[in-house]
């Protein structure tokens, strides 16, 4: 069985480096992944196209320049982008295609797939490999995920992703969701993990064994929270399990060590804050915002995150982090 690996180092990893990627860094990473045979890798602001803002974090370099830099190094690889309706627009997607994007993943909260119809349809019209991305999938029942995934497929999605944005799932949760989608949908199924409970690799293996054929990872686990499934490790594990990835492991390790590692501001590890993300089911990109708010208001980041989890906050509610911190300070 062939498993398609999509690397998110240059998108999810943007959160970890505070959206400070340079065109040269992206170019070198793209060159290495292309040489290693990574079929797809994602390039954009951490919160997707159009994400550069005061609320989500300003990008040091325009994302269209980063997409152009990456696309210029691709001979066999293809550049993917993330688009969250309400943050990115159809115009942003059209501009990304002109810059060299060949794939789009349209992301919504797990119960809001209906807001993505026009964006998925546009992706297909533009000739892109088009996927639906169900964020915070731990927050919905299996039945609800099937319902929302079916909407994505009806709009034209060629792949539907179960996305563990909070790193809150256990392998049985992943297996139940992937199996249910395999039994219901005709399109391919993908899985995106975060490592906040140290379960990213186990969850990835569970997804593949349940029938997922598109799997995300990031080199050196560079991503929001405690990071993602580590791409180079995942390739090695899948090869030992007998799956085909089409990736040169040695080339991938060299890119991880020589290109990605020097970019990282700190090693990707499970800190107390990232552990609370997974334990409380909080969106992984909230970690740096919580750390900033904790310092600003003199409270502990874990108290902020625990309260955010109780409020069931989702992506786009970053302002709530500062309100909670202010309330705790009082």
């Amino acid at each position: 069985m062939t498993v398609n690996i999509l690397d998110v180092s240059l998108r999810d990893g943007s959160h970890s480096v505070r959206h400070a990627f340079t065109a040269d860094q992206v170019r070198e990473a793209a060159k290495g992944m292309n040489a290693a045979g990574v079929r797809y890798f994602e390039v954009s602001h951490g919160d997707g196209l159009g994400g550069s803002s005061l609320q989500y974090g300003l990008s040091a370099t325009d994302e269209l320049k980063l997409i152009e830099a990456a696309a210029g190094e691709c001979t066999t690889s293809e550049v993917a982008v993330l688009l969250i309706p309400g943050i990115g627009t159809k115009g942003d997607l059209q501009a990304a295609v002109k810059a060299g994007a060949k794939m789009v993943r349209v992301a919504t909260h797990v119960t809001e797939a209906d807001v993505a119809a026009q964006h998925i349809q546009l992706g297909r019209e533009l000739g892109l490999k088009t996927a639906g991305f169900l964020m915070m999938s731990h927050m919905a029942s299996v039945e609800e995920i099937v319902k929302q995934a079916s909407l994505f497929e009806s709009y034209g999605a060629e792949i539907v992703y179960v996305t563990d944005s909070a790193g809150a799932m256990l392998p049985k949760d992943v297996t139940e969701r992937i199996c249910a989608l395999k039994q219901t949908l005709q399109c391919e199924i993908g899985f995106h993990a975060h490592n906040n409970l140290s379960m990213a690799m186990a969850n990835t293996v569970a997804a593949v064994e349940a029938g997922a054929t598109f799997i995300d990872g990031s080199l050196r686990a560079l991503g929001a929270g405690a990071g993602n499934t580590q791409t180079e490790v995942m390739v090695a594990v899948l090869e030992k399990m007998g799956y085909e990835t089409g990736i040169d492991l040695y080339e991938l390790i060299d890119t991880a060590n020589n290109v990605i590692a020097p970019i990282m501001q700190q090693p990707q590890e499970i800190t107390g804050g990232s552990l609370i993300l997974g334990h409380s089911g909080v969106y992984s990109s909230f970690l740096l915002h919580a750390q900033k708010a904790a310092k600003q208001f003199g409270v502990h980041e874990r108290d902020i995150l625990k309260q955010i989890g109780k409020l069931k906050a989702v992506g786009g509610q970053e302002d709530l982090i500062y309100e909670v911190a202010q309330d705790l300070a009082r």
Side-chain angles (χ1 to χ4, degrees):
M1 175 180 168
T2 298
V3 176
N4 299 284
I5 305 298
L6 191 152
D7 188 89
V8 298
S9 308
L10 300 177
R11 195 276 303 169
D12 216 319
S14 182
H15 291 295
S16 186
V17 301
R18 293 175 170 81
H19 314 296
F21 285 131
T22 67
D24 285 342
Q25 289 170 339
V26 168
R27 188 176 293 110
E28 286 303 306
K31 183 178 180 180
M33 285 190 277
N34 183 76
V38 176
R39 177 65 189 281
Y40 302 102
F41 58 85
E42 204 165 48
V43 182
S44 61
H45 184 279
D47 289 288
L49 296 176
S52 181
S53 63
L54 289 175
Q55 180 174 2
Y56 300 114
L58 294 169
S59 296
T61 304
D62 186 288
E63 63 187 356
L64 294 178
K65 293 182 179 178
L66 300 182
I67 293 167
E68 287 177 353
E73 298 298 329
C74 291
T75 57
T76 56
S77 296
E78 296 185 340
V79 174
V81 293
L82 186 79
L83 189 153
I84 303 175
I87 297 177
T89 66
K90 293 196 291 184
D92 290 326
L93 182 56
Q94 290 165 331
V97 171
K98 290 180 181 178
K102 302 294 185 184
M103 179 180 186
V104 63
R105 303 198 295 179
V106 182
T108 74
H109 183 61
V110 67
T111 59
E112 299 175 358
D114 59 330
V115 305
Q118 60 183 318
H119 305 86
I120 289 176
Q121 290 162 3
L122 177 61
R124 295 300 302 271
E125 290 169 9
L126 293 171
L128 301 174
K129 188 77 171 177
T130 303
F133 206 67
L134 291 171
M135 298 187 294
M136 300 291 279
S137 285
H138 75 282
M139 294 183 71
S141 66
V142 173
E143 293 75 19
E144 181 65 22
I145 284 177
V146 169
K147 174 184 173 182
Q148 298 294 324
S150 297
L151 288 176
F152 271 147
E153 186 177 50
S154 74
Y155 304 147
E158 299 167 271
I159 315 159
V160 174
Y161 276 81
V162 172
T163 306
D164 187 14
S165 313
M169 289 187 185
L170 300 176
K172 67 178 181 63
D173 304 317
V174 177
T175 298
E176 288 172 354
R177 286 158 174 77
I178 300 296
C179 285
L181 295 187
K182 285 291 290 183
Q183 291 169 6
T184 307
L185 305 184
Q186 299 301 310
C187 67
E188 294 194 79
I189 310 301
F191 179 68
H192 174 100
H194 279 269
N195 201 40
N196 300 326
L197 292 177
S198 195
M199 299 303 296
M201 185 63 70
N203 286 342
T204 293
V205 168
V208 171
E209 292 189 319
T213 53
F214 276 79
I215 299 294
D216 286 8
S218 58
L219 297 170
R220 282 294 184 104
L222 181 64
N228 308 100
T229 312
Q230 191 165 340
T231 306
E232 64 274 27
V233 179
M234 175 171 59
V235 169
V237 169
L238 291 177
E239 286 185 0
K240 286 181 72 68
M241 294 175 65
Y243 291 98
E244 295 289 336
T245 65
I247 293 175
D248 184 319
L249 179 59
Y250 289 0
E251 286 278 1
L252 197 63
I253 291 171
D254 288 345
T255 300
N257 290 348
N258 301 330
V259 181
I260 297 299
I263 296 173
M264 298 173 70
Q265 297 178 357
Q266 62 278 319
Q268 202 74 66
E269 60 182 352
I270 302 172
T271 63
S274 54
L275 175 58
I276 296 300
L277 291 173
H279 188 258
S280 301
V282 176
Y283 199 57
S284 291
S285 67
F286 281 13
L287 180 59
L288 295 184
H289 293 283
Q291 291 171 341
K292 181 179 177 181
K295 184 178 293 186
Q296 180 178 341
F297 292 100
V299 297
H300 203 292
E301 67 188 57
R302 66 175 172 239
D303 294 327
I304 299 173
L305 294 169
K306 197 73 178 175
Q307 184 62 22
I308 289 291
K310 290 178 181 177
L311 294 171
K312 298 188 182 301
V314 299
Q317 294 183 306
E318 281 79 356
D319 289 349
L320 190 59
I321 295 168
Y322 297 91
E323 293 178 20
V324 166
Q326 192 172 31
D327 288 343
L328 289 170
R330 292 196 187 107

